[in-house]
Amino acid sequence: VPEINGECSKGSKLIANPNCTTAIGLMALWPLHKLFKLKRVMMSTYQAASGAGQPGMDELKEGTRAIIAGEKDVADNAIFTYPLPFNVIPQIDKFMDNGYTKEEMKVTWECRKICGLSDDFPVSCTAVRIPTFRAHAETIIIETEEPVDIEAARKAFEDAPGIKLVDDPDKLEYPMPLTATGQYDVEVGRLRKSLVFGENGMEFFVVGDQLLRGAALNAVLVAEEMVANGSLGAK
């Protein structure tokens, strides 16, 4: 993720794009880590059908149409483990021996690696497929080493590249897939101190277009970083 560890691309020719869920979440976590120093991270994700590609979107669309038209009570499924229309599925990728799915463990592994955290730094994720077409949403809860200042966090998000702060409860403004779809920036909102961790905790909501920030856009930004640091250049 160039905004976090772009310097790691220097001298390299082959760079791995992170998991889309991780990339979106880290855009919000990194400014907070710099401010308050993360102690633990808990995440729940609400991931769109397009995470399974065009076939996943087609299955959701056709299944929804069939139910609304009265042709079926429950939609057919081939792409997803269970029918997705009017349902949520708390499984993305295969289950691992520890009870987490591979998608969830990718978040743990990649958060540690990209942020330069220890191999035992506590990161936990529950990944859920939901019946939306595009843009992944995430609820993130953090415990921090330093006391959290919500106004300082808000200022950090306002100044951070790739972040759009959408956080005005009085006006009912907060991140949503509807508004994040097709946008380069990751929306962050619902900022509040955690009732669980108190002064050293914070909860917030993140939404990003996983086809852009989580995939294609991130790859372009990596390439631009590599051009800038001399790792890539015209022959």
Side-chain angles (χ1 to χ4, degrees), residues 154 166-174 189-190:
R154 182 172 283 109
V166 186
D167 186 51
D168 192 337
D170 291 339
K171 295 181 180 178
L172 306 182
E173 294 179 354
Y174 33 71
R190 294 296 317 279

Side-chain angles (χ1 to χ4, degrees), residues 12-33:
S12 301
K13 295 295 184 184
L14 180 63
I15 301 295
N17 229 16
N19 174 271
C20 56
T21 310
T22 308
I24 291 166
L26 283 181
M27 291 297 295
L29 284 168
W30 182 246
L32 299 178
H33 182 52

Side-chain angles (χ1 to χ4, degrees), residues 79-150:
I79 302 301
F80 300 109
T81 310
Y82 291 96
L84 188 56
F86 306 100
N87 191 27
V88 298
I89 304 172
Q91 178 195 352
I92 300 177
D93 213 325
K94 65 180 181 180
F95 280 99
M96 311 290 284
D97 290 342
N98 62 1
Y100 286 83
T101 65
K102 190 175 181 181
E103 176 81 0
E104 293 160 351
M105 289 308 303
K106 286 178 184 177
V107 172
T108 297
W109 296 328
E110 294 180 3
C111 279
R112 291 169 176 168
K113 182 176 182 179
I114 293 169
C115 291
L117 302 170
S118 65
D119 289 343
D120 60 353
F121 182 87
V123 179
S124 178
C125 177
T126 297
V128 181
R129 186 75 70 191
I130 66 170
T132 55
F133 283 125
R134 191 161 164 178
H136 290 350
E138 305 172 6
T139 296
I140 301 178
I141 304 171
I142 60 172
E143 184 182 11
T144 58
E145 299 285 355
E146 304 294 334
V148 168
D149 181 326
I150 294 297

Side-chain angles (χ1 to χ4, degrees), residues 13 227 230-235:
K13 295 295 184 184
V227 170
S231 296
L232 291 179
K235 293 184 178 180

Side-chain angles (χ1 to χ4, degrees), residues 15 27 31 57 62 64 67 72 90 105 108 122 127-128 147 163 173 185 192 199-200 204-205 214 218 228 234:
I15 301 295
M27 291 297 295
M57 296 176 70
E62 173 55 26
T64 302
I67 292 174
K72 293 181 178 290
M105 289 308 303
T108 297
V128 181
I163 290 287
E173 294 179 354
D185 290 345
R192 59 207 189 273
E199 291 298 311
N200 286 55
F204 51 98
F205 194 65
N218 197 75

